[in-house]
Amino acid sequence: MSLIVMKFGGSSVGDAERMKRVAGRIVERQREGHQCVVVVSAMGDTTDDLIDLTKQISSSTPPAREMDMLLSTGEQVSVALLSITIQSMGQPAISYTGWQAGMYTEPVHGKARISDIQPERIFKALEQGNVVIVAGFQGMTQEGEITTLGRGGSDTTAVALAAAIKADVCEIFTDVDGIYSTDPRVVKCARKLPEITYDEMLELANLGAAVLHPRAVEYAKNYNVPLVVRSSFNHNEGTQVKEEAAMEQGIVVRGIASDKNVARISILGVEDKPGQLAKVFTALAKEQIDVDIIVQSGVLNGVADFSFTVALSDKDKAVKVIEDIRSTVNFHEVSSQENLVKVSIVGAGMVSTPGVAAKMFEVISDLGLSINMVSTSEIKTSCVIDNSRLPEVIQALHTAYGLDTEQQAFVGGPSDRR
């Protein structure tokens, strides 16, 4: 007998028929002798529909607390329906909200982080032979306030819960049957990866690959949770996410990700003196605005220009924050740019293979596109470019690095060490 956490996303439980299919899969596992804890997202587009409803009611930004109260109801519907479905198949089951399952978070609405899990109620229900179904995406503060974990938070719930109850494996079921070298909807000959390291998956998740949420991968890495990504629509072998993964012969770049949720903020004519950048990024941090790539130009006549990227949804807020600190930071002007995409290559083999970044720059240049910003680490290189020809760029990079099915792999070159 093993203890399994199974997580099903919104598309997997999007209607009654899919709910029955998921229930059948869970019952099958339980009857094989395993103990199953199931984490479920809201059905289909429920969360988006609830957000749209608030826009019809009010043109102003709704209170964050009330949005958490509202959005948490989507998962509550899912867990109750799934429990009813499983019980109709003759298998005992019980559904819990996040707070009933002992999921405690920091006191932040909308993007709360899990601070503690007290799973005693889950263990008791398992001992009684139940399938335990937990609402993802949500928790409760020590003061009893309902919170949500942000988009993709159900992945985080599942992995954190697997760590807390010391599950043998955490399986993430989705509408694709594993992790691919890139989005198979864009590149038809994308490879399914049998395994990938936590670090590679964390980079891909942070860089736009939507299969797993970055915080979920971070939890899995920190607590060494065995993680498998597989399809909820078939029984194919999925992709294992683990500490070390076997390298395919010659495969240097493991995957290609893209993120259209990118805006570039430029601050021109910043006075060159200590503490200016610290003031800018401290102000942004206080408003919960995440900053990604940062580029500063050289100093000329005592001033410098610098740019950074933020989520497109934070663009206007970021510009306002910077305008509001004019009294403490001396600069000429602030501007923003949309219609951008961040394209990234990721692979643990990049650290010891020369020419990887050079090949990326060459491919993008050959397509007649300019690179606006670049960011690198030991296992990734990211370029911010115009988003008008994204599918072409991804396909060209996929081919250049030998990731197309049955294609010879990229072996590196002398141009650089990346």
Side-chain angles (χ1 to χ4, degrees), residues 259-264 309 337-342 372-373 384-387:
D259 183 5
K260 290 184 178 180
N261 184 30
V262 175
R264 178 181 179 178
T309 59
Q337 182 182 358
E338 300 181 21
N339 301 317
L340 299 172
V341 63
K342 180 172 64 176
N372 294 320
M373 307 175 82
V384 177
I385 60 175
D386 182 272
N387 70 5

PDB file of all heavy atoms in Angstrom, residues 259-264 309 337-342 372-373 384-387:
ATOM      1  N   ASP A 259       6.713  33.319 -22.548  1.00  0.00           N
ATOM      2  CA  ASP A 259       5.814  34.025 -21.640  1.00  0.00           C
ATOM      3  C   ASP A 259       5.403  35.342 -22.284  1.00  0.00           C
ATOM      4  O   ASP A 259       6.220  36.247 -22.451  1.00  0.00           O
ATOM      5  CB  ASP A 259       6.519  34.268 -20.303  1.00  0.00           C
ATOM      6  CG  ASP A 259       5.621  34.937 -19.279  1.00  0.00           C
ATOM      7  OD1 ASP A 259       4.422  35.124 -19.577  1.00  0.00           O
ATOM      8  OD2 ASP A 259       6.111  35.281 -18.192  1.00  0.00           O
ATOM      9  N   LYS A 260       4.111  35.430 -22.657  1.00  0.00           N
ATOM     10  CA  LYS A 260       3.599  36.664 -23.254  1.00  0.00           C
ATOM     11  C   LYS A 260       3.169  37.679 -22.208  1.00  0.00           C
ATOM     12  O   LYS A 260       2.874  38.836 -22.545  1.00  0.00           O
ATOM     13  CB  LYS A 260       2.406  36.349 -24.171  1.00  0.00           C
ATOM     14  CG  LYS A 260       2.763  35.622 -25.448  1.00  0.00           C
ATOM     15  CD  LYS A 260       1.521  35.455 -26.314  1.00  0.00           C
ATOM     16  CE  LYS A 260       1.842  34.780 -27.621  1.00  0.00           C
ATOM     17  NZ  LYS A 260       0.629  34.607 -28.461  1.00  0.00           N
ATOM     18  N   ASN A 261       3.136  37.265 -20.970  1.00  0.00           N
ATOM     19  CA  ASN A 261       2.698  38.155 -19.889  1.00  0.00           C
ATOM     20  C   ASN A 261       3.854  39.047 -19.452  1.00  0.00           C
ATOM     21  O   ASN A 261       4.279  39.036 -18.290  1.00  0.00           O
ATOM     22  CB  ASN A 261       2.170  37.317 -18.713  1.00  0.00           C
ATOM     23  CG  ASN A 261       1.612  38.174 -17.597  1.00  0.00           C
ATOM     24  OD1 ASN A 261       1.095  39.262 -17.834  1.00  0.00           O
ATOM     25  ND2 ASN A 261       1.731  37.695 -16.373  1.00  0.00           N
ATOM     26  N   VAL A 262       4.388  39.825 -20.401  1.00  0.00           N
ATOM     27  CA  VAL A 262       5.606  40.595 -20.155  1.00  0.00           C
ATOM     28  C   VAL A 262       5.405  42.045 -20.591  1.00  0.00           C
ATOM     29  O   VAL A 262       4.880  42.307 -21.676  1.00  0.00           O
ATOM     30  CB  VAL A 262       6.804  40.005 -20.949  1.00  0.00           C
ATOM     31  CG1 VAL A 262       8.031  40.880 -20.793  1.00  0.00           C
ATOM     32  CG2 VAL A 262       7.100  38.594 -20.478  1.00  0.00           C
ATOM     33  N   ALA A 263       5.808  42.960 -19.760  1.00  0.00           N
ATOM     34  CA  ALA A 263       5.880  44.378 -20.115  1.00  0.00           C
ATOM     35  C   ALA A 263       7.248  44.904 -19.714  1.00  0.00           C
ATOM     36  O   ALA A 263       7.823  44.476 -18.709  1.00  0.00           O
ATOM     37  CB  ALA A 263       4.786  45.179 -19.421  1.00  0.00           C
ATOM     38  N   ARG A 264       7.762  45.815 -20.507  1.00  0.00           N
ATOM     39  CA  ARG A 264       9.056  46.418 -20.223  1.00  0.00           C
ATOM     40  C   ARG A 264       8.841  47.830 -19.695  1.00  0.00           C
ATOM     41  O   ARG A 264       8.129  48.632 -20.281  1.00  0.00           O
ATOM     42  CB  ARG A 264       9.896  46.467 -21.499  1.00  0.00           C
ATOM     43  CG  ARG A 264      11.256  47.130 -21.337  1.00  0.00           C
ATOM     44  CD  ARG A 264      11.982  47.133 -22.668  1.00  0.00           C
ATOM     45  NE  ARG A 264      13.293  47.773 -22.566  1.00  0.00           N
ATOM     46  CZ  ARG A 264      14.152  47.876 -23.569  1.00  0.00           C
ATOM     47  NH1 ARG A 264      13.825  47.360 -24.760  1.00  0.00           N
ATOM     48  NH2 ARG A 264      15.303  48.467 -23.423  1.00  0.00           N
ATOM     49  N   THR A 309      11.581  44.150 -16.561  1.00  0.00           N
ATOM     50  CA  THR A 309      10.309  43.571 -16.972  1.00  0.00           C
ATOM     51  C   THR A 309       9.455  43.240 -15.764  1.00  0.00           C
ATOM     52  O   THR A 309       9.961  42.887 -14.689  1.00  0.00           O
ATOM     53  CB  THR A 309      10.509  42.291 -17.814  1.00  0.00           C
ATOM     54  OG1 THR A 309      11.248  41.330 -17.045  1.00  0.00           O
ATOM     55  CG2 THR A 309      11.260  42.600 -19.096  1.00  0.00           C
ATOM     56  N   GLN A 337       6.379  49.410 -22.381  1.00  0.00           N
ATOM     57  CA  GLN A 337       6.236  48.799 -23.698  1.00  0.00           C
ATOM     58  C   GLN A 337       5.539  47.457 -23.563  1.00  0.00           C
ATOM     59  O   GLN A 337       5.885  46.637 -22.706  1.00  0.00           O
ATOM     60  CB  GLN A 337       7.616  48.608 -24.351  1.00  0.00           C
ATOM     61  CG  GLN A 337       7.561  48.022 -25.757  1.00  0.00           C
ATOM     62  CD  GLN A 337       8.943  47.810 -26.360  1.00  0.00           C
ATOM     63  OE1 GLN A 337       9.952  48.138 -25.746  1.00  0.00           O
ATOM     64  NE2 GLN A 337       8.989  47.263 -27.564  1.00  0.00           N
ATOM     65  N   GLU A 338       4.542  47.224 -24.439  1.00  0.00           N
ATOM     66  CA  GLU A 338       3.822  45.949 -24.468  1.00  0.00           C
ATOM     67  C   GLU A 338       4.203  45.185 -25.734  1.00  0.00           C
ATOM     68  O   GLU A 338       5.238  45.436 -26.333  1.00  0.00           O
ATOM     69  CB  GLU A 338       2.314  46.203 -24.435  1.00  0.00           C
ATOM     70  CG  GLU A 338       1.831  46.950 -23.204  1.00  0.00           C
ATOM     71  CD  GLU A 338       0.327  47.148 -23.214  1.00  0.00           C
ATOM     72  OE1 GLU A 338      -0.367  46.384 -23.927  1.00  0.00           O
ATOM     73  OE2 GLU A 338      -0.161  48.056 -22.527  1.00  0.00           O
ATOM     74  N   ASN A 339       3.381  44.211 -26.100  1.00  0.00           N
ATOM     75  CA  ASN A 339       3.584  43.404 -27.318  1.00  0.00           C
ATOM     76  C   ASN A 339       4.958  42.735 -27.334  1.00  0.00           C
ATOM     77  O   ASN A 339       5.611  42.653 -28.372  1.00  0.00           O
ATOM     78  CB  ASN A 339       3.405  44.271 -28.569  1.00  0.00           C
ATOM     79  CG  ASN A 339       2.028  44.898 -28.635  1.00  0.00           C
ATOM     80  OD1 ASN A 339       1.028  44.237 -28.362  1.00  0.00           O
ATOM     81  ND2 ASN A 339       1.978  46.174 -28.965  1.00  0.00           N
ATOM     82  N   LEU A 340       5.370  42.260 -26.173  1.00  0.00           N
ATOM     83  CA  LEU A 340       6.657  41.578 -26.036  1.00  0.00           C
ATOM     84  C   LEU A 340       6.429  40.143 -25.577  1.00  0.00           C
ATOM     85  O   LEU A 340       5.364  39.799 -25.059  1.00  0.00           O
ATOM     86  CB  LEU A 340       7.542  42.304 -25.023  1.00  0.00           C
ATOM     87  CG  LEU A 340       7.922  43.742 -25.336  1.00  0.00           C
ATOM     88  CD1 LEU A 340       8.628  44.379 -24.144  1.00  0.00           C
ATOM     89  CD2 LEU A 340       8.810  43.803 -26.571  1.00  0.00           C
ATOM     90  N   VAL A 341       7.436  39.318 -25.746  1.00  0.00           N
ATOM     91  CA  VAL A 341       7.401  37.956 -25.234  1.00  0.00           C
ATOM     92  C   VAL A 341       8.801  37.588 -24.760  1.00  0.00           C
ATOM     93  O   VAL A 341       9.799  38.038 -25.329  1.00  0.00           O
ATOM     94  CB  VAL A 341       6.915  36.956 -26.321  1.00  0.00           C
ATOM     95  CG1 VAL A 341       7.871  36.927 -27.500  1.00  0.00           C
ATOM     96  CG2 VAL A 341       6.725  35.564 -25.748  1.00  0.00           C
ATOM     97  N   LYS A 342       8.855  36.829 -23.703  1.00  0.00           N
ATOM     98  CA  LYS A 342      10.131  36.312 -23.209  1.00  0.00           C
ATOM     99  C   LYS A 342      10.249  34.860 -23.650  1.00  0.00           C
ATOM    100  O   LYS A 342       9.423  34.012 -23.280  1.00  0.00           O
ATOM    101  CB  LYS A 342      10.223  36.413 -21.687  1.00  0.00           C
ATOM    102  CG  LYS A 342      11.541  35.888 -21.129  1.00  0.00           C
ATOM    103  CD  LYS A 342      11.669  36.186 -19.643  1.00  0.00           C
ATOM    104  CE  LYS A 342      10.633  35.477 -18.832  1.00  0.00           C
ATOM    105  NZ  LYS A 342      10.787  35.673 -17.391  1.00  0.00           N
ATOM    106  N   ASN A 372      15.586  42.639 -27.306  1.00  0.00           N
ATOM    107  CA  ASN A 372      15.484  43.822 -26.445  1.00  0.00           C
ATOM    108  C   ASN A 372      16.236  43.668 -25.133  1.00  0.00           C
ATOM    109  O   ASN A 372      16.848  44.608 -24.644  1.00  0.00           O
ATOM    110  CB  ASN A 372      14.017  44.135 -26.152  1.00  0.00           C
ATOM    111  CG  ASN A 372      13.256  44.547 -27.385  1.00  0.00           C
ATOM    112  OD1 ASN A 372      13.764  45.275 -28.217  1.00  0.00           O
ATOM    113  ND2 ASN A 372      12.026  44.063 -27.528  1.00  0.00           N
ATOM    114  N   MET A 373      16.148  42.476 -24.530  1.00  0.00           N
ATOM    115  CA  MET A 373      16.776  42.237 -23.236  1.00  0.00           C
ATOM    116  C   MET A 373      17.218  40.787 -23.181  1.00  0.00           C
ATOM    117  O   MET A 373      16.623  39.918 -23.831  1.00  0.00           O
ATOM    118  CB  MET A 373      15.803  42.536 -22.080  1.00  0.00           C
ATOM    119  CG  MET A 373      15.177  43.915 -22.132  1.00  0.00           C
ATOM    120  SD  MET A 373      13.932  44.171 -20.840  1.00  0.00           S
ATOM    121  CE  MET A 373      14.975  44.581 -19.440  1.00  0.00           C
ATOM    122  N   VAL A 384      14.037  38.747 -24.502  1.00  0.00           N
ATOM    123  CA  VAL A 384      12.781  39.474 -24.671  1.00  0.00           C
ATOM    124  C   VAL A 384      12.756  40.037 -26.086  1.00  0.00           C
ATOM    125  O   VAL A 384      13.659  40.781 -26.477  1.00  0.00           O
ATOM    126  CB  VAL A 384      12.634  40.608 -23.639  1.00  0.00           C
ATOM    127  CG1 VAL A 384      11.353  41.399 -23.888  1.00  0.00           C
ATOM    128  CG2 VAL A 384      12.630  40.032 -22.223  1.00  0.00           C
ATOM    129  N   ILE A 385      11.729  39.649 -26.852  1.00  0.00           N
ATOM    130  CA  ILE A 385      11.633  40.045 -28.257  1.00  0.00           C
ATOM    131  C   ILE A 385      10.202  40.471 -28.562  1.00  0.00           C
ATOM    132  O   ILE A 385       9.293  40.304 -27.736  1.00  0.00           O
ATOM    133  CB  ILE A 385      12.041  38.890 -29.204  1.00  0.00           C
ATOM    134  CG1 ILE A 385      11.115  37.683 -28.989  1.00  0.00           C
ATOM    135  CG2 ILE A 385      13.495  38.493 -28.970  1.00  0.00           C
ATOM    136  CD1 ILE A 385      11.340  36.534 -29.955  1.00  0.00           C
ATOM    137  N   ASP A 386       9.994  41.000 -29.762  1.00  0.00           N
ATOM    138  CA  ASP A 386       8.651  41.301 -30.246  1.00  0.00           C
ATOM    139  C   ASP A 386       7.859  39.998 -30.363  1.00  0.00           C
ATOM    140  O   ASP A 386       8.394  38.968 -30.771  1.00  0.00           O
ATOM    141  CB  ASP A 386       8.752  41.987 -31.608  1.00  0.00           C
ATOM    142  CG  ASP A 386       7.390  42.375 -32.149  1.00  0.00           C
ATOM    143  OD1 ASP A 386       6.771  41.540 -32.827  1.00  0.00           O
ATOM    144  OD2 ASP A 386       6.958  43.511 -31.882  1.00  0.00           O
ATOM    145  N   ASN A 387       6.578  40.041 -29.985  1.00  0.00           N
ATOM    146  CA  ASN A 387       5.812  38.788 -29.930  1.00  0.00           C
ATOM    147  C   ASN A 387       5.099  38.421 -31.230  1.00  0.00           C
ATOM    148  O   ASN A 387       4.361  37.445 -31.280  1.00  0.00           O
ATOM    149  CB  ASN A 387       4.789  38.856 -28.788  1.00  0.00           C
ATOM    150  CG  ASN A 387       3.647  39.825 -29.057  1.00  0.00           C
ATOM    151  OD1 ASN A 387       3.544  40.404 -30.131  1.00  0.00           O
ATOM    152  ND2 ASN A 387       2.789  40.023 -28.065  1.00  0.00           N
TER     153      ASN A 387
END
